[in-house]
Each structure stands twice: as structure tokens, then as C-alpha cells.
Amino acid sequence: MDKEKRIYTIATAHLDTVWNWDFEHVLAVCLPNTLHDNFSLFEKYPDYQFNFEGAYRYELFEEYYPEEFEQLRKYVADGKWNFCGASYENGDVNVPSPELLFRNVIYGNGYFKKKFGKTSNDIFLPDCFGFGWALPSMAEHANLKGFSTQKLSWGSAYGIPFDIGLWVGPNGKGVFASLDGKSYCTTFKNVRTNDKLTKKLNKNEKEYGLPWTFGYHGTGDVGGAPKEESVNTVTNEIAQNDSSDIKVLSTSPTKFFDDLSNLDIAELGRLPKWNNELLMTNHGAGSYVSRSFSKRCNRRNEELADMAVYEGEKIITDLTDEEIYNIFDTIGRKLTKYIPINKKNLYIFTLIRLIFLASFPLNVLIGVKGHEVASGVVLIFNLILLALTHGISNTLCYTL
């Protein structure tokens, strides 16, 4: 029996929290445009579904536009607004450690679960500068099903391995991947007769027995919504589904990857596989070389955070106030002249350090200006806490 032909259209509005504009512009213009433009389209086009990434942006919606946030929750419940990508921030996935990537998903999906009662099953990164080999293994370990991007067309070191397939990590496990979603700035004038989509669909059917394909449409970098022309085109093509052998869907990456996971074993076995990294030759290479300071600070903070958190937790939970005091060396004793050492103050100090620590990876991920200053503050707090818990000699050993 022939499989149904499908074109999954993914409406989105990629947003750079900071790029050629400041954060205030995002709060005042980009976020409200994203809300209001899509709300209008929902009311006019019942079949329209929109996908928006990054739990951090939803927190901003909740904080700065609480009334619209409640309306957004209703649209999520109705299946019109989808959160795509399970991450807290849809940022770089090459410099941060696998643990940070994993925590990014935990925090992101944790927020979605708490606020909306559901989670996302995918990594959604249409505009990142390459993708390390650890990503599919991490995604699978986080119980995610898929990954999508369109960035490989901008200069992948390995080309575009396939449209739809399996991306396998170094541990032999991985996720489904859509690697050729086409531009997220696309405005559809047609879908079934769109050359870029039909070529992919026909190739997937001929080579892998899967007559499906996946395509973005919408806006890039500034949020907002797809152009109404594009939404109208998709809606009109959906209306023709009963009379066509190709079904057009306005849907979410989560739905797409759920459908892939429901393929039978034989069908899954025919899908192409990629067992390697997916790095970029243009964006990635130059960007990472020029930001070597950020990489160093990121790594130092990861090391210091591990030592400070684990040892700090042990001290706070296992030792008495007197024992805490007795572990301090010369620097620690000098500090106690200004900071009385007890469990309460160590809790407060640890909390302050963690707040600054959290600010640094977020600054790296979203590109906030001045994150060199933030990283310096994080290092200072980490070094002080490390000195308190390990002594000056160990602190110098770890940091020099």
C-alpha cells in the first residue's frame, strides 16, 4: 500500500534576542509584534498553526505582557500556538558543554510543562552556526525525538546529508532530523507546486520510500509572524487535501517527529543516517575563533561551577557552623571580618554566585553585549567560594 504524500509546513518567526538591536527593542517591538500579529492570523485563518522557540521568550511574555500571555495559553490549549524546541534558549550548541545543553532542555521543557501542561519533543535551531556531534546523543538522552534546521545551506562542512533521516551521535543513539527545511523567511505562493518542496518529496519517496517533506515559512531574526499571503496560501492548499494525492499540513515539529516515530521498523530501516558532526565552514569558523575569550570564560566557569556547587552543597548540608568556620584558610578568615561565616550567609553567598553563574551562559547563548563583564563577575564569585571551600593553594592551582 502506497504511503500518503505529505508536506508539513512549519510557520515560525525566528527571533534573535539581541543582534543589530538592543534588548529594549525586543521587549518593546519584537515580542508584542509576535503576539499580536499571530493572534490576528489565528482569528482569520482557523487552520493556521504557529511555532515559536525558546522558553526564555515565554518568560518575557509572561513578565511584560501578562494579559496577552493568558490569551497565548488559550491558543496553546487549542493547538494553534505551538512551542517548538525544548530549550530554554535556542542558542549556540558547540561551545557549551553537553551538561549545559542538557540543562538547557530541562529548564526549557520544565517551564513549558509548568505553564502549559505539555512539552516539546525537538531541538529547533534554524539559525545556529553549526552543530556538534554530541547534540543528537544529548537530545536522545533528554527523551527528545527530533532536530531541525535550515542553516546547513549556508555553508556546511559536509553539505546537506539528507532532507529527512536519523542523526546518530557518538554513543550510537540519536534522533530524527530534518536538515533541509529551507529558509524560515519563505513566503509561500504555492505549496504542492513549489519546486523546492516537491523535489525533496519526490527524492525522499524514490530513495527512502517516505513521500514526506518539511518546510519552514515565516520571518527571520525579528519575531513577528509569517506574511498573510503565505498563511493564506497554506490555508487554501489545506482546503484542497480531499481532492489531491498530496496532503498539506500546517503543523508543528513535535507533530512531525511524532509521525516519524510511528513508522514501522521496515520504514525506519530505510531512512538515511548521519554519524558525524554538522559544522559550518563560514559562520562557525570565523565566529568561534574571534570569540576565543568567551570560550575560555565559559570553560573556566563550568569547571569552577562543578567544584563550587558540589563542594558547597556538601559543606552546607553536612557540616555544622563551627566546622564550616574551621575549614577556612587565611583568605577565608580575612573574609569573615566582613562576612560572618554561618550556614545562612553561605546559602546567600551560594545563591548570589549561582545567579551570576546563570547569567553568563545565557549571555553567551543570546549574545548580550558586555558578557565579558558578566563572565568576569562570575569568575570572581566562583573563585571566592572556591577559596572558602578548597583553600587558596587549590584555588590558584585550578585557575592559573
Side-chain angles (χ1 to χ4, degrees), residues 96-136:
S97 67
E99 180 177 353
L100 179 55
L101 297 178
F102 190 75
R103 289 179 180 272
N104 198 17
V105 171
I106 292 175
Y107 298 148
N109 260 345
Y111 176 85
F112 292 140
K113 182 69 173 178
K114 179 180 179 180
K115 298 297 180 177
F116 302 101
K118 60 174 79 173
T119 58
S120 173
N121 69 8
D122 73 304
I123 298 291
F124 186 87
L125 293 174
D127 193 25
C128 265
F129 296 174
F131 313 96
W133 198 13
L135 187 59

Side-chain angles (χ1 to χ4, degrees), residues 289-328:
V289 170
S290 66
R291 298 305 304 162
S292 58
F293 177 81
S294 296
K295 291 189 288 186
R296 174 178 173 80
C297 286
N298 182 76
R299 182 57 186 149
R300 282 295 187 218
N301 276 301
E302 289 175 347
E303 294 171 341
L304 292 171
D306 282 343
M307 291 182 282
V309 169
Y310 294 132
E311 293 301 320
E313 287 177 352
K314 179 180 178 181
I315 290 170
I316 291 173
T317 56
D318 295 345
L319 301 180
T320 66
D321 290 348
E322 182 179 0
E323 289 171 327
I324 291 173
Y325 185 87
N326 288 335
I327 69 170
F328 297 136

Side-chain angles (χ1 to χ4, degrees), residues 56-123:
Y56 175 56
R57 293 160 179 78
Y58 290 80
E59 285 189 344
L60 297 177
F61 285 148
E62 184 179 13
E63 179 177 358
Y64 290 94
Y65 300 95
E67 293 183 4
E68 288 88 343
F69 183 76
E70 291 305 312
Q71 192 173 358
L72 184 155
R73 288 170 57 118
K74 295 177 182 178
Y75 284 127
V76 170
D78 291 340
K80 294 180 178 295
W81 184 300
N82 306 302
F83 33 83
C84 55
S87 300
Y88 182 76
E89 178 58 82
N90 56 315
D92 179 64
V93 291
N94 289 322
V95 173
S97 67
E99 180 177 353
L100 179 55
L101 297 178
F102 190 75
R103 289 179 180 272
N104 198 17
V105 171
I106 292 175
Y107 298 148
N109 260 345
Y111 176 85
F112 292 140
K113 182 69 173 178
K114 179 180 179 180
K115 298 297 180 177
F116 302 101
K118 60 174 79 173
T119 58
S120 173
N121 69 8
D122 73 304
I123 298 291

Side-chain angles (χ1 to χ4, degrees), residues 133-142 167-175 275-276:
W133 198 13
L135 187 59
S137 293
M138 182 283 300
E140 190 275 338
H141 188 64
W167 187 15
V168 181
N171 67 343
K173 298 181 179 180
V175 293
N275 293 271
N276 205 339

Side-chain angles (χ1 to χ4, degrees), residues 134-372:
L135 187 59
S137 293
M138 182 283 300
E140 190 275 338
H141 188 64
N143 293 320
L144 303 182
K145 294 182 180 180
F147 161 79
S148 70
T149 189
Q150 57 87 52
K151 198 66 176 183
L152 298 182
S153 62
W154 290 51
S156 166
Y158 303 97
I160 302 176
F162 51 70
D163 176 35
I164 300 171
L166 292 163
W167 187 15
V168 181
N171 67 343
K173 298 181 179 180
V175 293
F176 297 111
S178 173
L179 302 181
D180 193 16
K182 302 304 181 186
S183 174
Y184 50 74
C185 295
T186 295
T187 296
F188 285 132
K189 299 182 182 300
N190 50 63
V191 179
R192 288 181 176 84
T193 57
N194 183 296
D195 287 343
K196 293 179 179 179
L197 295 177
T198 56
K199 285 180 180 178
K200 293 196 301 171
L201 186 147
N202 292 333
K203 181 179 180 181
N204 292 342
E205 180 179 30
K206 179 179 179 180
E207 297 186 7
Y208 315 121
L210 184 68
W212 297 355
T213 194
F214 173 111
Y216 299 124
H217 68 120
T219 65
D221 305 330
V222 295
K227 292 182 179 179
E228 185 171 350
E229 176 187 3
S230 192
V231 175
N232 185 61
T233 296
V234 172
T235 299
N236 288 337
E237 300 241 8
I238 290 173
Q240 301 171 33
N241 279 348
D242 291 341
S243 60
S244 174
D245 64 335
I246 300 177
K247 307 302 180 186
V248 174
L249 307 174
S250 176
T251 189
S252 67
T254 289
K255 167 64 174 171
F256 176 68
F257 292 121
D258 280 342
D259 287 351
L260 282 174
S261 67
N262 289 328
L263 295 175
D264 62 37
I265 295 177
E267 291 170 324
L268 291 173
R270 295 187 63 182
L271 292 178
K273 295 180 177 63
W274 182 250
N275 293 271
N276 205 339
E277 62 192 7
L278 288 168
L279 300 186
M280 305 288 289
T281 57
N282 298 328
H283 276 66
S287 296
Y288 293 124
V289 170
S290 66
R291 298 305 304 162
S292 58
F293 177 81
S294 296
K295 291 189 288 186
R296 174 178 173 80
C297 286
N298 182 76
R299 182 57 186 149
R300 282 295 187 218
N301 276 301
E302 289 175 347
E303 294 171 341
L304 292 171
D306 282 343
M307 291 182 282
V309 169
Y310 294 132
E311 293 301 320
E313 287 177 352
K314 179 180 178 181
I315 290 170
I316 291 173
T317 56
D318 295 345
L319 301 180
T320 66
D321 290 348
E322 182 179 0
E323 289 171 327
I324 291 173
Y325 185 87
N326 288 335
I327 69 170
F328 297 136
D329 63 0
T330 302
I331 285 184
R333 287 192 292 273
K334 289 182 178 179
L335 285 172
T336 62
K337 293 168 63 178
Y338 308 98
I339 308 175
I341 299 302
N342 51 48
K343 283 189 176 183
K344 177 182 177 181
N345 284 344
L346 194 54
Y347 270 120
I348 294 172
F349 191 88
T350 303
L351 177 62
I352 294 172
R353 186 197 63 79
L354 291 174
I355 290 172
F356 278 105
L357 176 63
S359 73
F360 177 75
L362 288 177
N363 285 334
V364 170
L365 288 166
I366 66 180
V368 172
K369 295 178 181 178
H371 58 70
E372 291 89 348

